[in-house]
C-alpha cells in the first residue's frame, strides 16, 4: 500500500474501497456505476423514497459533527420555497486532505451525490464551494463541461482561504453578500439560507456516500461500519507514521488499526490527535484499541470528527503542539463574538505561559475557568472546537502540565513541529 498526503491509499478489507476507486474521468465513472440513477426516484413519491433511503441507510455528515444526513434532507425538502444545495469542499482543516483527494480521484461521485441531493429536496441549483487558489474550482469546471445534461444548474464558488470561511453560515453569508464570515443563528441555513431559501449544506464526502446509497441501496451501505455509524469514512493519517495519507476505513475500526493502515508508527508514540483541530488528544499506547466513529468514545468523548488523525512521537510535547495550533485558531476566528475576541486569545496566552515556564500558581485554575465560560457562547462552533482541543490536552498531558507549572521550560519547543499549519502566505487576509 502506498500513499502520500495528496494521493489516496485504500484499506484492503473486502468491502472497501467504496469511494476511492480512482475513476476520475466521467467515462470510467459511468462504466462502473451506470447513468445517474434518477429513474427510480421520479415524482414526489420517488423523491420521498430517496430521502427515506438515506434515512434508512443511517448516513451521517462527514464534515465534522456527524449529523444525520437524512434528517437534514427531510427538513430542507419540507421548506416552502425552492431549496438550494451547497456542497462544502473547502476543507479548511489543516490536518485533513480527504476532501481534496476525493475531489481529485472521485469528482463524479461527489457531483452525482450533489445532483441527487438536489433532486431529493427539490432544488434546481447546486453551489460547489472550494477553497480559492487550490485548482479545484478549475478542475470541477472541466468536469462539469462533460455534464451538460445534469438536471441542475451548477455554480463553482471559490471561497477565501480562511479557517472559519467554510463554516456553513459563513458560506451562506458569502453566497448572499460576498463576505465569508459566520452569521449569528438562528435561522439555521436549512431553515433560511441562500436567498432566504431552505439550504442543504453537506460536506463533499457526505454527498459522495449519498450517491453510493442511490446506486446500491441502503442495505449495501450498512454492510460496513457500526449500527449507529454505518458506511465507510475517509481519514487522513499524518504525523509519525510510515505512510501518511488518506485511507478509507469502516467506522468502529480501532485507532491502532488506523495507524497501521498508514504503515504504523515510525517511533514510539505518546499520543494521537483524533478528529482534527476541533478534536481530542488521546494518550498512546493506552488508547490503541479505542474504536473510532462519529459517536463519542473514551474519557475525552473522542470522535472521528473531520476525519483527521495525527500521531505524536513520545518525545514531542503535546502542550506545545496544542499551544501552537490554538494560536492559529485564535488568529483565524472572525473576531466578532466575545469568546473569540477575548476568550481564545486569553487561553492562548495562558498556554504560551505554560510552555515557556512563565505560568503562575493560578494558571491551571484560570485556564479551566476560562475554558468553562467559552463553550456555547459564539455565533458559530469555532470557539467550542478550539477549547475542546485545549481541554483534552490538559487531561492527556496532565503530567507534562504539572512539570511546566513547576517551572520547567518545554523541551518540545526544540522539536520539529508535528501538527501541520498552513503557510500564512497561502492564506487570505480578507473575507471577500
Ligand atoms: C469553523 C468551522 C469550519 C468548518 N469547516 C468545514 C469545512 O471546511 N468543510 C466541511 O465540510 N465542513 C466544515 N464545517 C462544518 C460545516 O459548518 C457544516 O456543518 C458541514 O459542512 C455540514 O456537512 P455534513 O452534514 O455533511 O457534515 C466547519 C465548521 C466550523 C465551525
Ligand atoms: S464564534 Fe468566533 S468564529 Fe464564530 S462567528 Fe463568532 S467570532 Fe466568528
Amino acid at each position: 500500500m502506498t500513499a502520500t498526503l495528496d494521493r489516496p491509499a485504500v484499506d484492503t478489507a473486502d468491502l472497501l474501497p467504496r469511494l476511492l476507486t480512482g475513476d476520475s474521468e466521467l467515462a470510467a465513472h459511468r462504466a462502473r456505476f451506470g447513468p445517474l440513477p434518477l429513474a427510480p426516484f421520479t415524482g414526489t413519491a420517488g423523491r420521498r423514497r430517496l430521502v427515506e433511503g438515506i434515512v434508512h441507510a443511517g448516513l451521517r455528515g462527514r464534515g465534522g459533527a456527524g449529523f444525520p444526513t437524512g434528517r437534514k434532507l427531510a427538513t430542507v425538502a419540507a421548506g416552502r420555497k425552492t431549496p438550494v444545495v451547497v456542497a462544502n469542499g473547502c476543507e479548511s482543516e489543516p490536518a485533513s486532505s480527504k476532501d481534496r483527494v476525493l475531489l481529485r480521484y472521485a469528482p463524479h461521485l461527489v457531483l452525482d451525490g450533489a445532483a441527487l441531493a438536489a433532486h431529493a429536496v427539490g432544488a434546481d441549483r447546486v453551489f460547489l464551494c472550494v477553497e480559492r487558489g487550490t485548482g479545484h474550482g478549475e478542475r470541477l469546471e472541466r468536469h462539469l463541461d462533460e455534464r451538460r445534461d445534469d438536471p441542475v444548474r451548477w455554480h463553482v464558488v471559490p471561497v477565501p482561504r480562511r479557517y472559519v470561511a467554510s463554516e456553513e453560515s459563513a458560506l451562506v453569508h458569502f453566497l448572499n453578500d460576498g463576505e465569508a464570515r459566520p452569521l449569528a443563528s438562528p435561522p439555521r441555513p436549512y431553515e433560511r439560507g441562500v436567498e432566504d431559501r431552505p439550504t442543504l449544506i453537506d460536506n463533499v464526502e457526505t454527498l459522495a456516500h449519498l450517491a453510493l446509497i442511490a446506486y446500491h441501496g441502503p442495505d449495501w451501505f450498512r454492510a460496513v461500519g457500526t449500527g449507529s455509524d454505518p458506511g465507510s469514512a475517509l481519514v487522513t493519517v499524518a504525523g509519525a507514521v510510515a505512510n501518511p495519507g488518506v485511507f478509507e476505513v469502516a467506522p468502529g475500526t480501532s485507532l491502532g488499526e488506523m495507524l497501521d493502515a498508514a504503515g504504523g508508527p515510525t517511533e514510539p508514540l505518546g499520543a494521537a490527535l483524533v478528529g482534527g483541530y476541533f478534536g481530542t488528544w488521546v494518550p498512546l499506547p493506552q488508547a490503541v484499541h479505542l474504536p473510532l466513529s462519529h459517536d463519542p468514545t473514551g474519557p475525552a468523548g473522542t470522535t472521528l470528527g473531520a476525519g483527521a488523525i495525527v500521531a505524536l512521537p513520545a518525545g514531542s510535547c503535546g502542550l506545545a503542539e496544542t499551544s501552537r495550533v490554538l494560536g492559529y485558531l485564535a488568529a483565524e476566528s472572525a473576531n466578532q463574538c466575545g469568546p473569540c475576541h477575548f476568550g481564545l486569545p486569553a487561553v492562548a496566552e495562558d498556554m504560551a505561559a505554560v510552555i515557556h515556564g512563565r505560568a503562575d500558581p493560578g494558571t491551571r485554575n484560570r485556564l479551566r475557568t476560562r475554558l468553562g465560560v467559552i463553550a456555547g457562547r459564539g455565533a458559530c462552533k469555532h470557539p467550542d472546537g478550539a477549547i475542546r482541543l485545549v481541554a483534552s490536552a490538559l487531561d492527556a498531558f496532565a503530567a507534562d502540565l504539572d512539570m511546566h507549572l513547576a517551572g520547567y521550560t518545554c523541551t518540545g519547543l526544540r522539536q520539529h513541529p508535528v501538527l501541520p499549519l498552513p503557510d500564512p502566505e497561502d492564506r487570505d487576509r480578507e473575507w471577500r
Side-chain angles (χ1 to χ4, degrees):
M1 192 187 322
T2 55
T4 69
L5 277 182
D6 40 49
R7 221 150 48 81
V10 292
D11 195 301
T12 48
D14 285 353
L15 298 169
L16 301 180
R18 291 173 158 194
L19 297 170
L20 296 181
T21 51
D23 298 322
S24 56
E25 296 307 318
L26 186 60
H29 172 78
R30 289 277 171 253
R32 181 184 294 271
F33 292 102
L36 193 64
L38 290 171
F41 306 114
T42 46
T44 311
R47 289 221 288 266
R48 199 175 313 125
R49 220 170 26 252
L50 180 54
V51 173
E52 283 166 1
I54 305 302
V55 171
H56 177 61
L59 172 62
R60 291 168 66 173
R62 304 303 200 234
F67 191 80
T69 307
R71 217 190 295 164
K72 221 156 63 170
L73 283 169
T75 308
V76 172
R80 296 176 64 169
K81 289 184 173 178
T82 303
V84 301
V85 170
V86 175
N88 192 347
C90 294
E91 195 169 43
S92 62
E93 167 63 55
S96 180
S97 310
K98 73 174 182 76
D99 294 339
R100 278 185 278 276
V101 162
L102 183 66
L103 284 171
R104 193 144 197 162
Y105 290 88
H108 292 289
L109 216 41
V110 174
L111 295 172
D112 284 0
L116 287 159
H119 179 71
V121 298
D124 56 0
R125 280 179 302 158
V126 175
F127 295 88
L128 299 164
C129 293
V130 288
E131 272 199 336
R132 203 183 265 168
T134 53
H136 286 296
E138 294 77 358
R139 265 190 295 276
L140 280 173
E141 295 280 13
R142 280 201 296 278
H143 292 306
L144 291 173
D145 278 347
E146 290 189 272
R147 300 181 56 124
R148 293 183 189 278
D149 295 336
D150 281 346
V152 289
R153 271 184 291 145
W154 298 105
H155 306 271
V156 176
V157 183
V159 175
R161 286 167 296 176
R162 300 205 55 152
Y163 194 81
V164 300
S166 48
E167 188 272 342
E168 59 184 17
S169 71
L171 290 179
V172 168
H173 194 187
F174 186 61
L175 290 165
N176 282 339
D177 302 318
E179 195 186 52
R181 281 189 216 239
L183 289 169
S185 58
R188 298 311 306 168
Y190 55 79
E191 298 159 334
R192 225 168 63 221
V194 177
E195 296 170 5
D196 280 346
R197 295 169 186 280
T199 301
L200 180 79
I201 303 185
D202 272 322
N203 172 260
V204 286
E205 183 193 339
T206 311
L207 293 168
H209 288 293
L210 188 152
L212 289 177
I213 295 166
Y215 280 116
H216 299 305
D219 293 333
W220 173 91
F221 182 76
R222 298 189 70 90
V224 296
T226 69
S228 57
D229 190 12
S232 63
L234 298 181
V235 293
T236 312
V237 187
V241 288
N243 200 11
V246 174
F247 300 86
E248 189 168 353
V249 300
T253 303
S254 73
L255 172 58
E257 287 168 321
M258 292 196 191
L259 296 175
D260 285 346
T266 49
E267 56 188 298
L269 301 180
L273 176 62
V274 180
Y277 292 172
F278 286 172
T280 51
W281 285 105
V282 293
L284 286 172
Q286 298 90 317
V288 76
H289 297 302
L290 200 67
L292 298 180
S293 74
H294 293 95
D295 290 317
T297 183
T302 300
T303 75
L304 268 181
I309 299 175
V310 186
L312 186 76
S316 295
C317 176
L319 293 171
E321 291 287 334
T322 304
S323 174
R324 211 165 46 81
V325 168
L326 179 64
Y328 167 77
L329 293 175
E332 280 287 311
S333 88
N335 201 16
Q336 55 187 6
C337 310
C340 283
H341 187 69
F342 301 109
L344 293 187
V347 174
E349 175 47 36
D350 282 343
M351 287 296 286
V354 166
I355 62 166
H356 288 102
R358 290 192 268 106
D360 58 63
T363 302
R364 187 199 305 264
N365 284 345
R366 198 167 54 240
L367 258 172
R368 290 281 181 198
T369 307
R370 282 183 168 150
L371 295 180
V373 296
I374 287 176
R377 299 262 169 91
C380 79
K381 298 284 182 213
H382 181 68
D384 300 43
I387 61 161
R388 185 181 309 123
L389 173 76
V390 177
S392 79
L394 299 184
D395 290 337
F397 307 112
D400 294 345
L401 180 64
D402 288 343
M403 281 189 42
H404 287 311
L405 291 178
Y408 290 96
T409 307
C410 183
T411 53
L413 290 174
R414 294 194 290 273
Q415 310 273 342
H416 188 67
V418 179
L419 298 183
L421 285 180
D423 181 348
E425 293 304 311
D426 286 342
R427 306 303 287 167
D428 286 315
R429 303 210 197 299
E430 304 303 323
W431 296 99
R432 294 191 169 271

